[in-house]
Amino acid sequence: MNGKLGKGLLVILFGVLLIFAWHLQANDGKAQGEKHPDVDFSISCTECHQEVTPEIVAQWKSTKHGMMNFGCYMCHGDGQVEFKAKPDTDNCLNCHTGEPVDASKGGNLQCFSCHKNHNLKFHQ
Amino acid sequence: MGVTRREFIKTTAAAAAAASIGTTLLPGGVKPLFAENDMEWHKSVCRFCGVGCGVLIGVKNGKVAAIRGDKFNTINKGHLCVKGFYLHKIIYAKTRLTHPMIKKNGKFEKVSWDEALNFVAKKFNEIRKAHGPDALAFYGSGQAETEETYMANKLFKGCIGTNNMEGNPRLCMASAVGGYLTSFGLDEPAGTYEDIEQAEMFMLIGTNTAEAHPIVFERIVRHKMKNPNVKILIIDPRKTPTDQVADLHLFPKPGWDLAILHAMARIIIKEGYADEQFIKDNVVFKDNKKNLTYEQYKQFLEKFTPEYASKVSGVPVEDIVKAARMFGQAKTAMSMWTMGINQRTRGVWANNLITNLHLLTGKIGKPGCDSFSLTGQPNACGGVREGGGLCHLLPAHRVVKNPKHREEVAKVWGVPVSNIQPKPGKHTVAMFEALNKGEIKGIYIMCTNPAQSLPNASKYWKGLKEQFVVVAESFFPTATTKFADVVLPAAFWAEKEGVYGCTERRSQYMPKVLEPMGEARWDAFILRDLGIRMGFKKEFEKYKTAEDIWNEYISLTKGRDLDLSGATYRRLKKERGLRWPVPSEDHPGTYKRYVKGDPIFDELSEEKKKGRWIYFYGKPEGKAVVWARPDKGPEEPTDEEFPFALSTGRVLEHWHTLTMTGTVPELNRAVPKAYVEINPEDAKALGIANKDQVIVETRRGQLKIEARVINRPKKGTLFIPWHWEEWMANILTIDAFDPGSKEPEYKVCAARIRKA
């Protein structure tokens, strides 16, 4: 292999890695390789999180989502087949269809940009 | 039928916003949040419970890729519950049945459709010839489309000539039917969901609305949040998530609530909350044997003091009084109930006693007032109650025993009237009993899983094992397919078109948006082709499309109380359903029955309507019945040997026997397994800790299951969610049934519990 070809291959390899890294960045938690800790999956999310992150469960319960029992899995995945530590907002739109947003606030707005924390309070 | 998201929104009030998706800002810098990615959206209906939520199915590259709540459907206004949220995933479940199979030498073997249908036709004809038509039976579903149930009805009642045709709504809604028929003379509620936002008070009795009918609960929550003075009374032996909005909760001993309802009626009359003019104009009184006067009814109620009701039910006297006053003082009131009332040996009576409160106070027929039964399945009302899919019914609220009804139906079906037997067939429990005895030798089961869902289920496995069983299903295996001789793959939701009719008398169209998985076929055409192969070519070959079947069905509704003549496919494809009566294509549908605006009321003679703003036209003189029913308790009360009352029910995240929700990882994560709820006081007394393995035992069987020690069930009661085959609650439940509605008493039986 001559030096020129080697350099060319390196450039291509670097490019591929760059594209791959960008792809990971652009995708959801699953693609980023996020993994839920190995726990006893025979118990439900809320049952466990009631013990390990009670403040988060309390926040969630205080919302209408909590009242309707829209569980952790709806945003974060089931934890085994799919897990998103930082969920995307596509799922929000399954119910909140065509909700308008004030675009003057910025470019790449997502629901969670404004509805923060597990109580999803606006601009908290 | 497909419309792009852009086209869809263009037709709505949001047109201005939609016209500029992702590009132009609206005044004030507002734009829709996300652009669509070439997704085609199709208006449809949710596949789960009887609420009838509108959904949009998103199709991309020939696959169903997404689901959304339909913002323009007035039932759910875009909202979905957690089950509906994952509905699209179920289409691609690994457990989809994709080809016909025949059991040969104890093992299922893949066969062609020709072989499967020829085999079933031959076996059914042999049984019919050797043992008569009543040796065959059909068992259907409140999840089947109206068109599917209609075809089964014609094949079994009209062609084969047996009324052994039932459906699982017998197990959930039959008592509500019996209640409406005996109180008003006609089935199904007078009001609609629109009453929710106009009600001042809700009586939720025998319903865990938050989990079993979440979108109805969401509407109640929203209404109460906006109007904090709205009062919510719950009557239920178990504390449930519905309690989050309760103002008062009465916890009766399971099966002992009839006395409470009578006591409430007594207080309402004594304290002057009754609408005496309404009673005079619109009500008659009866007991189980004869007509009563109002005075005699009052005399009957004298026994039901709050103290008596308290003694019988275990509810404190003051709570019974408060509940009665809450109902009496509210200007408008809506009662809702479901299986806690219907699945009882006195389910019809319990239904009557709820309606009594509305009739005594005149809280019916007005906005915000109704006795409103919540339905468990998406088409129990439309397909089975209205379509006539039970052993005593014919399409469009007709009955087999009425010669005129038989003639009308036989004429439309193109069969000799003598084919339709005048005697009702075997109701569900009797049907499976007859399979056990060998009186029924062949059964066709469609879209349901009786080996798990029947009460006292294991008792009926014998018949399923011994007789010839055909199961048409979308999923495999199920508890029932294990017993099948033949399994036929059925197209699933979104793979077929048809109509569902929900709780509020609303019929809604569902489009076919993709081809069925594998070799699956539409149930209605499986039945059509089976009919042709059984020798009924003339009767069945004319049905080429779903619309052919629907048009024939709605022709039978013309002039009936559930007139759907105006609900053509052309209209249903455009509109978010229509509430019957809808007698013509230019009729908007009916918000309230029995009053002005109901086309049947409007067409009554002036003489009948004179001085009447409401006329219960299903009853003589337009007068509804207040019933003086005895306060009988459950069939199997607790005793020393079995001291706990066991109840079964649903959780929010799962549905029926898990054939659908069990395929969704997220829903399995939410509630991975069954458990038995036990009150902390009872658990302490028995030395049972949370998560202990325990044995729950009844006179019919026992189940090893995990204990959940929780302050939900009333002391002395146990609760098991019934969805899992592995922890099959129905091996414990009792198959005693209401003598009127024939609906079994799933909700109460005597049990004991011990540490495993």
Side-chain angles (χ1 to χ4, degrees):
Chain A
M1 187 193 291
N2 64 36
K4 229 178 183 176
L5 184 61
K7 276 181 192 169
L9 281 172
L10 272 175
V11 168
I12 290 168
L13 183 67
F14 182 72
V16 168
L17 284 173
L18 204 68
I19 290 166
F20 184 62
W22 175 83
H23 181 76
L24 286 183
Q25 183 65 29
N27 271 285
D28 59 20
K30 189 184 172 192
Q32 286 170 40
E34 287 175 342
K35 190 174 179 306
H36 189 281
D38 280 326
V39 292
D40 178 3
F41 279 110
S42 71
I43 60 172
S44 72
C45 315
T46 38
E47 204 175 338
C48 185
H49 277 272
Q50 188 85 55
E51 289 174 22
V52 295
T53 59
E55 66 292 341
I56 287 178
V57 174
Q59 264 190 7
W60 165 75
K61 273 193 175 166
S62 71
T63 66
K64 201 169 165 198
H65 280 167
M67 206 167 185
M68 295 294 294
N69 213 0
F70 291 151
C72 318
Y73 56 91
M74 293 188 82
C75 298
H76 296 287
D78 73 307
Q80 282 180 298
V81 178
E82 186 179 50
F83 178 62
K84 301 171 182 176
K86 288 193 175 174
D88 52 52
T89 56
D90 284 352
N91 280 352
C92 306
L93 300 178
N94 290 359
C95 294
H96 301 282
T97 46
E99 295 289 330
V101 64
D102 185 351
S104 64
K105 298 290 180 194
N108 186 26
L109 278 177
Q110 298 282 301
C111 302
F112 300 126
S113 308
C114 301
H115 299 271
K116 292 179 188 280
N117 297 322
H118 281 84
N119 57 16
L120 303 176
K121 287 266 166 65
F122 188 63
H123 279 181
Q124 190 184 53
Chain B
M1 181 53 205
V3 287
T4 64
R5 175 70 171 161
R6 184 179 296 260
E7 287 164 349
F8 166 67
I9 294 179
K10 266 182 179 171
T11 62
T12 73
S20 59
I21 283 176
T23 52
T24 316
L25 299 185
L26 292 168
V30 175
K31 68 170 186 177
L33 191 52
F34 300 109
E36 302 296 327
N37 303 315
D38 304 321
M39 189 90 81
E40 269 205 344
W41 293 96
H42 301 263
K43 171 180 82 69
S44 190
V45 188
C46 183
R47 172 68 178 72
F48 288 107
C49 76
V51 175
C53 294
V55 299
L56 297 172
I57 309 172
V59 178
K60 195 174 175 181
N61 301 328
K63 289 194 90 178
V64 170
I67 192 165
R68 283 186 176 170
D70 181 357
K71 188 178 179 180
F72 304 102
N73 188 309
T74 55
I75 295 176
N76 57 316
K77 300 182 177 86
H79 294 271
L80 293 173
C81 79
V82 301
K83 293 183 289 293
F85 195 82
Y86 295 108
L87 179 52
H88 59 300
K89 290 192 172 187
I90 296 165
I91 298 170
Y92 302 104
K94 286 178 188 160
T95 49
R96 283 295 306 274
L97 178 59
T98 53
H99 43 260
M101 294 191 287
I102 296 177
K103 201 180 266 170
K104 296 176 180 174
N105 301 316
K107 280 190 178 173
F108 280 115
E109 285 183 22
K110 187 176 169 181
V111 297
S112 68
W113 269 106
D114 271 343
E115 185 179 344
L117 288 179
N118 286 338
F119 180 59
V120 175
K122 185 169 166 279
K123 285 290 288 182
F124 276 8
N125 277 340
E126 281 170 4
I127 292 169
R128 186 167 169 244
K129 197 175 167 193
H131 306 283
D134 287 338
L136 290 172
F138 176 90
Y139 186 64
S141 172
Q143 298 156 56
E145 295 167 339
T146 302
E147 294 84 344
E148 293 167 333
T149 298
Y150 184 82
M151 293 297 265
N153 230 350
K154 176 168 176 176
L155 176 59
F156 280 79
K157 288 180 190 153
C159 297
I160 293 172
T162 178
N163 289 334
N164 287 339
M165 161 146 184
E166 278 279 286
N168 57 17
R170 175 72 74 187
L171 308 178
C172 63
M173 297 313 304
S175 296
V177 176
Y180 281 127
L181 286 175
T182 45
S183 292
F184 299 120
L186 292 169
D187 185 22
E188 302 196 47
T192 63
Y193 298 134
E194 269 178 60
D195 290 308
I196 293 173
E197 283 76 19
Q198 303 175 79
E200 272 190 15
M201 187 264 178
F202 294 86
M203 180 169 83
L204 306 178
I205 177 165
T207 163
N208 174 8
T209 321
E211 296 199 85
H213 298 95
I215 296 302
V216 168
F217 179 68
E218 195 272 339
R219 284 179 69 161
I220 295 171
V221 169
R222 198 163 3 136
H223 178 50
K224 187 165 167 77
M225 280 175 161
K226 276 188 193 163
N227 307 278
N229 291 332
V230 166
K231 296 277 184 261
I232 296 177
L233 163 67
I234 295 180
I235 305 179
D236 192 320
R238 177 170 169 254
K239 191 175 176 185
T240 70
T242 311
D243 275 75
Q244 294 172 99
V245 291
D247 291 284
L248 177 64
H249 190 141
L250 274 48
F251 294 90
K253 287 190 290 186
W256 295 98
D257 48 8
L258 301 190
I260 296 176
L261 293 164
H262 278 317
M264 286 173 71
R266 182 178 175 273
I267 295 164
I268 280 168
I269 294 170
K270 280 199 180 293
E271 297 195 1
Y273 299 121
D275 184 337
E276 301 295 346
Q277 189 62 46
F278 184 93
I279 292 170
K280 193 175 161 211
D281 293 344
N282 306 305
V283 167
V284 294
F285 298 86
K286 285 186 179 179
D287 68 14
N288 286 355
K289 290 178 186 157
K290 59 185 184 305
N291 292 332
L292 302 177
T293 63
Y294 188 16
E295 286 310 312
Q296 286 171 322
Y297 172 68
K298 287 182 192 170
Q299 200 55 43
F300 163 83
L301 286 181
E302 273 311 295
K303 170 184 164 188
F304 297 98
T305 61
E307 290 73 18
Y308 172 82
S310 174
K311 194 178 160 200
V312 170
S313 66
V315 173
V317 168
E318 57 272 24
D319 283 353
I320 295 170
V321 175
K322 269 189 214 164
R325 287 177 183 161
M326 197 184 271
F327 195 100
Q329 286 165 0
K331 285 196 185 75
T332 53
M334 200 170 179
S335 296
M336 295 184 188
W337 68 92
T338 180
M339 298 310 127
I341 289 295
N342 294 339
Q343 290 178 333
R344 303 262 297 275
T345 44
R346 290 299 166 191
V348 174
W349 294 2
N351 271 265
N352 292 145
L353 303 198
I354 294 166
T355 296
N356 280 359
L357 300 181
H358 290 271
L359 292 172
L360 292 170
T361 56
K363 286 171 185 150
I364 185 115
K366 301 168 189 165
C369 295
D370 203 29
S371 59
F372 192 78
S373 151
L374 296 173
T375 315
Q377 298 187 90
N379 201 31
C381 287
V384 176
R385 286 161 76 169
E386 296 160 22
L390 296 175
C391 67
H392 62 298
L393 296 176
L394 287 170
H397 287 170
R398 290 180 174 87
V399 290
V400 294
K401 69 178 181 188
N402 184 322
K404 189 163 169 276
H405 289 178
R406 293 199 302 277
E407 269 170 35
E408 288 164 350
V409 173
K411 193 177 165 196
V412 171
W413 279 352
V415 300
V417 68
S418 56
N419 277 18
I420 307 175
Q421 293 192 42
K423 196 179 155 209
K426 289 189 162 61
H427 61 82
T428 295
V429 172
M431 180 183 279
F432 285 92
E433 188 85 58
L435 273 165
N436 273 359
K437 289 179 184 163
E439 292 166 9
I440 291 175
K441 298 186 181 299
I443 187 167
Y444 188 107
I445 297 168
M446 182 175 88
C447 193
T448 186
N449 190 6
Q452 186 181 341
S453 59
L454 287 171
N456 194 5
S458 52
K459 174 179 166 187
Y460 300 103
W461 295 344
K462 176 180 180 284
L464 288 168
K465 213 177 283 177
E466 290 173 357
Q467 312 307 334
F468 180 66
V469 175
V470 181
V471 178
E473 246 302 345
S474 298
F475 303 95
F476 182 88
T478 70
T480 305
T481 60
K482 287 174 188 167
F483 297 108
D485 295 282
V486 182
V487 290
L488 304 173
F492 186 57
W493 173 86
E495 298 170 344
K496 57 186 182 180
E497 66 176 338
V499 176
Y500 269 180
C502 73
T503 294
E504 62 159 3
R505 297 180 274 107
R506 188 190 308 220
S507 293
Q508 303 189 87
Y509 172 81
M510 298 178 291
K512 174 180 173 176
V513 302
L514 75 163
E515 288 305 315
M517 187 79 69
E519 295 174 35
R521 289 186 186 175
W522 186 36
D523 273 313
F525 282 175
I526 300 174
L527 288 160
R528 175 196 66 182
D529 296 346
L530 175 63
I532 290 170
R533 283 162 207 258
M534 286 184 74
F536 308 111
K537 187 168 183 234
K538 174 174 68 69
E539 290 83 353
F540 281 100
E541 66 182 356
K542 62 180 174 177
Y543 303 109
K544 306 290 184 205
T545 65
E547 192 169 7
D548 290 343
I549 303 170
W550 179 253
N551 284 343
E552 186 174 302
Y553 168 62
I554 62 173
S555 76
L556 274 166
T557 69
K558 184 77 193 162
R560 306 285 303 162
D561 66 311
L562 74 165
D563 199 330
L564 279 159
S565 320
T568 57
Y569 262 30
R570 190 186 66 77
R571 233 179 134 190
L572 291 174
K573 283 177 182 176
K574 282 190 205 154
E575 300 185 36
R576 264 73 180 172
L578 288 160
R579 295 178 299 207
W580 56 258
V582 49
S584 59
E585 273 214 274
D586 58 357
H587 192 278
T590 302
Y591 155 53
K592 276 277 179 199
R593 297 171 89 185
Y594 310 123
V595 294
K596 196 176 169 192
D598 171 351
I600 300 173
F601 175 89
D602 292 342
E603 284 179 18
L604 290 171
S605 67
E606 286 308 315
E607 190 192 338
K608 278 187 173 172
K609 279 194 286 191
K610 195 176 174 188
R612 303 282 294 274
W613 62 271
I614 188 165
Y615 193 94
F616 298 103
Y617 46 75
K619 284 286 186 189
E621 296 176 28
K623 293 189 175 188
V625 181
V626 167
W627 284 96
R629 303 288 201 188
D631 62 320
K632 194 174 175 297
E635 183 71 15
E636 189 181 65
T638 55
D639 54 26
E640 275 184 20
E641 206 184 343
F642 294 93
F644 285 88
L646 171 67
S647 206
T648 61
R650 289 180 180 180
V651 296
L652 170 72
E653 295 84 354
H654 288 299
W655 206 72
H656 281 206
T657 59
L658 287 186
T659 50
M660 293 189 285
T661 54
T663 69
V664 179
E666 290 88 345
L667 298 176
N668 283 328
R669 170 64 53 251
V671 191
K673 60 188 170 188
Y675 48 84
V676 56
E677 287 184 359
I678 179 167
N679 185 285
E681 280 187 54
D682 290 328
K684 195 178 171 194
L686 294 167
I688 292 170
N690 199 33
K691 298 190 181 176
D692 274 355
Q693 287 293 311
V694 293
I695 305 287
V696 180
E697 194 177 0
T698 68
R699 289 184 173 87
R700 292 153 293 282
Q702 58 171 271
L703 190 64
K704 189 177 178 189
I705 194 168
E706 188 176 291
R708 179 168 293 184
V709 179
I710 189 166
N711 194 18
R712 276 192 175 180
K714 178 185 166 75
K715 194 169 171 285
T717 66
L718 304 170
F719 172 83
I720 303 177
W722 74 283
H723 308 288
W724 289 264
E725 187 180 343
E726 192 178 347
W727 299 278
M728 197 186 288
N730 277 326
I731 65 167
L732 304 174
T733 51
I734 190 167
D735 51 353
F737 53 82
D738 184 302
S741 70
K742 320 296 183 199
E743 179 164 344
E745 192 157 56
Y746 288 91
K747 281 292 180 272
V748 201
C749 68
R752 60 188 172 208
I753 183 170
R754 63 184 154 85
K755 230 171 144 169

